[in-house]
Amino acid sequence: MQHLAIFPILLPLLAAVFMLLPPLSNSITRQRIFAVSILLLLVTVSTLLLLTSHQQGTQLYILGGWQPPFGITLVGDRLSTMMVLLTSVLGLGAHLYACAGEDKDGMYFHPLFMFQIMGVNGAFLTGDIFNLFVFFEVLLIASYALLIHGGGKQKTKMNVHYVILNLVGSGIFLFALGILYGTIGSLNIADMANKVRLLDEHEQALAKAGGLLLLVVFGLKAALLPLHFWLPKTYAAASAPVAALFAIMTKVGVYSILRVHTTIFGEDAGALAGIAIPWLWPLALLTLTMGAIGVLASPGLRLTAANLVIVSVGTLMLAIAMQRESATSAALYYMMHTTLVTGALFLIADLISKQRGKAEDRYVIARKMRYGKFIGIAFFIAALTSVGMPPLSGFVGKILILQATQGLAETAWVWAIVLLAGLASMVAISRAGTTIFWRAAGENTNNEKLSPLKIIAVVLLLSASPLLVVFGGAVTDYTNLAAAQLHNSMPTVTALLPGGNE
């Protein structure tokens, strides 16, 4: 059990390496069986890690015996273990869908998928921001290859934009790390939180610059306006299982903003407390607005789903900008909901595209779908929860965020923008549903069967919505504790540093 915290990184890493070697590399069937087995094991391990951190406290794993703040440290607290479990479940659903045939469109799909999972899990578990940069690069390199998997002009074009943008982001990240290390003298998150309030006026200005540069980098990863323009067409161009997995990618950016600007630059940071908040408020409101406009303007379901990701990012950023436990707890609940449901929506869009021939997922009249009943029910559930209609998890998540508002101005802005964005999403999704399912002409001549694996994948991800409502009490209790642990971080910070447990 003492090594549990490293398993979510180690398992996908070893799996990827083994699948590059014979005999696994010689058989796509063996790779599928092996990868699904590893992902099932990863879900089990992630669940055990979450329960352990919840019941026994934060799990600290020190690689090589080098004590913090000098060595590489993995930190499994309630927030990070929740995100690891979320990634594992999403990864399992997306991978099951890929095993129905999408993995044959190019080489090395399964190893790349595992490297991607490894990078995302590492970003959530790392205890210092230099290794956050390292894991960012791991997940980005894997995502470059996954995005172009299967080839095609549109994928290549979007991949070039995606690569260039993220290379620029990586450069800015390194500049930020250099500034912060030069001023604070550490990149360990707990150590930085302990030292940042002790900086003199000169050093505070540099640390603020470094902190705001990190906001730019994380804002790019999260698709926060004005750095959001790359996301819709990039996600729409990706294959369905890759797009579904990418639903967690923006949450890595959101998580990083939450972690760094609550732990390091939070309430205990002295003069540097809340340096990101004046920027987060307008950017969150504008991101939500632009996402809603993008949803209305989308000509197809893939682009609609991609713009719904931007809507979710704007909503999460609003909750983070409130900087209070109730809002953070609501954001964590909403993050679980939106990640899994958006992933399911990308898979449903692909099912529709395959059934409608040349019309694909575009909002035009096309032939009837052979498996219209199942796809229609799945779309209906995804649509209801995406726009925040009761009684599903999207409604609960938005209500929790709206209830967390305080003060007349804050309440007016948040309620107005969130509700209007929800209305815009409802209009767009209604248009999508009526066009795709009701405005059909001609009989379906498509003889392609619907793979059971695809059905299982969609059902797995969609089931998250009713389950988050049925077990809403236990889930919100957990998110409340996770938010309290994050906002009252000094006891945890002290415990993670040498002498903290004495």
Side-chain angles (χ1 to χ4, degrees):
M1 294 296 286
Q2 64 178 333
H3 300 290
L4 202 56
I6 199 172
F7 279 179
I9 300 171
L10 200 58
L11 280 174
L13 171 62
L14 293 177
V17 172
F18 286 144
M19 284 190 287
L20 290 171
L21 302 172
L24 291 175
S25 63
N26 301 330
S27 170
I28 190 73
T29 304
R30 288 179 194 152
Q31 287 189 21
R32 287 172 177 173
I33 295 170
F34 182 71
V36 170
S37 302
I38 291 295
L39 286 167
L40 287 168
L41 180 59
L42 187 59
V43 171
T44 305
V45 168
S46 301
T47 304
L48 284 174
L49 182 58
L50 181 142
L51 292 173
T52 304
S53 68
H54 180 52
Q55 295 167 1
Q56 300 178 17
T58 300
Q59 301 297 297
L60 182 65
Y61 192 84
I62 301 168
L63 277 78
W66 290 88
Q67 294 297 317
F70 306 107
I72 298 173
T73 308
L74 302 178
V75 181
D77 62 3
R78 288 188 179 96
L79 174 57
S80 60
T81 55
M82 184 198 87
M83 297 305 295
V84 166
L85 179 57
L86 180 63
T87 305
S88 303
V89 173
L90 178 68
L92 177 61
H95 195 271
L96 284 171
Y97 192 94
C99 288
E102 305 285 333
D103 55 348
K104 289 182 177 179
D105 293 341
M107 297 177 66
Y108 307 118
F109 177 86
H110 298 282
L112 289 167
F113 197 94
M114 288 298 172
F115 280 128
Q116 176 92 37
I117 296 282
M118 171 207 165
V120 173
N121 285 346
F124 290 141
L125 288 170
T126 184
D128 68 89
I129 54 176
F130 179 76
N131 284 304
L132 179 62
F133 167 79
V134 172
F135 283 118
F136 265 33
E137 294 308 298
V138 172
L139 69 90
L140 284 173
I141 290 169
S143 72
Y144 299 155
L146 283 173
L147 180 59
I148 205 169
H149 187 263
K153 181 180 177 181
Q154 187 67 13
K155 287 182 181 179
T156 305
K157 180 181 176 182
M158 290 303 105
N159 201 41
V160 170
H161 295 168
Y162 179 68
V163 170
I164 292 172
L165 264 175
N166 280 290
L167 287 176
V168 172
S170 297
I172 296 172
F173 202 161
L174 284 176
F175 277 113
L177 293 181
I179 292 169
L180 290 170
Y181 187 74
T183 52
I184 300 175
S186 177
L187 292 176
N188 179 279
I189 293 174
D191 198 35
M192 292 174 76
N194 205 35
K195 291 178 177 179
V196 71
R197 64 183 183 276
L198 305 176
L199 299 177
D200 60 36
E201 192 174 340
H202 242 352
E203 293 170 325
Q204 285 173 6
L206 285 170
K208 183 177 181 179
L212 291 178
L213 281 176
L214 285 182
L215 181 63
V216 172
V217 175
F218 300 151
L220 173 62
K221 310 299 182 191
L224 188 65
L225 188 136
L227 304 171
H228 71 291
F229 54 87
W230 60 272
L231 186 145
K233 289 187 177 180
T234 301
Y235 278 34
S239 63
V242 172
L245 181 62
F246 277 18
I248 197 69
M249 295 279 277
T250 51
K251 309 312 180 293
V252 176
V254 172
Y255 168 88
S256 301
I257 292 173
L258 186 60
R259 178 69 74 184
V260 169
H261 288 280
T262 304
T263 304
I264 300 174
F265 299 106
E267 295 175 0
D268 300 313
L272 293 175
I275 58 171
I277 304 308
W279 296 93
L280 279 183
W281 271 111
L283 293 178
L285 290 167
L286 289 170
T287 301
L288 189 49
T289 303
M290 291 303 296
I293 294 170
V295 168
L296 286 171
S298 299
L301 189 54
R302 283 195 186 98
L303 276 172
T304 298
N307 279 294
L308 283 172
V309 173
I310 296 175
V311 170
S312 72
V313 169
T315 307
L316 289 167
M317 287 296 110
L318 280 179
I320 292 172
M322 294 181 205
Q323 282 291 289
R324 64 183 69 98
E325 286 181 23
S326 58
T328 301
S329 175
L332 297 183
Y333 182 98
Y334 184 80
M335 196 183 306
M336 286 186 278
H337 140 77
T338 189
T339 302
L340 296 174
V341 171
T342 306
L345 196 55
F346 279 116
L347 300 184
I348 293 166
D350 186 66
L351 290 178
I352 290 170
S353 180
K354 295 262 172 58
Q355 291 279 308
R356 296 179 81 225
K358 292 181 180 179
E360 297 185 330
D361 66 319
R362 295 192 302 276
Y363 301 146
V364 295
I365 297 174
R367 65 192 182 192
K368 293 178 182 178
M369 289 182 282
R370 184 179 179 188
Y371 299 98
K373 288 183 180 179
F374 168 76
I375 297 172
I377 292 169
F379 175 82
F380 182 71
I381 295 170
L384 280 183
T385 192
S386 295
V387 302
M389 293 293 287
L392 298 173
S393 57
F395 174 76
V396 177
K398 285 187 178 180
I399 286 294
L400 290 173
I401 291 173
L402 295 176
Q403 287 179 337
T405 57
Q406 292 180 5
L408 182 60
E410 181 180 294
T411 301
W413 276 106
V414 173
W415 279 66
I417 299 296
V418 169
L419 293 177
L420 285 172
L423 177 61
S425 300
M426 188 186 303
V427 170
I429 287 289
S430 299
R431 179 188 60 154
T434 54
T435 304
I436 291 170
F437 294 98
W438 290 354
R439 298 175 64 189
E443 292 301 317
N444 191 292
T445 56
N446 187 349
N447 294 320
E448 183 182 345
K449 291 186 178 181
L450 188 59
S451 168
L453 285 175
K454 291 186 176 182
I455 296 173
I456 293 169
V458 171
V459 170
L460 173 66
L461 297 185
L462 276 185
S463 63
S465 183
L467 288 175
L468 283 171
V469 176
V470 173
F471 298 102
V475 173
T476 51
D477 286 344
Y478 184 89
T479 58
N480 288 339
L481 290 170
Q485 188 178 46
L486 183 67
H487 283 272
N488 304 304
S489 59
M490 286 316 294
T492 304
V493 165
T494 304
L496 295 181
L497 293 173
N501 294 315
E502 295 178 1

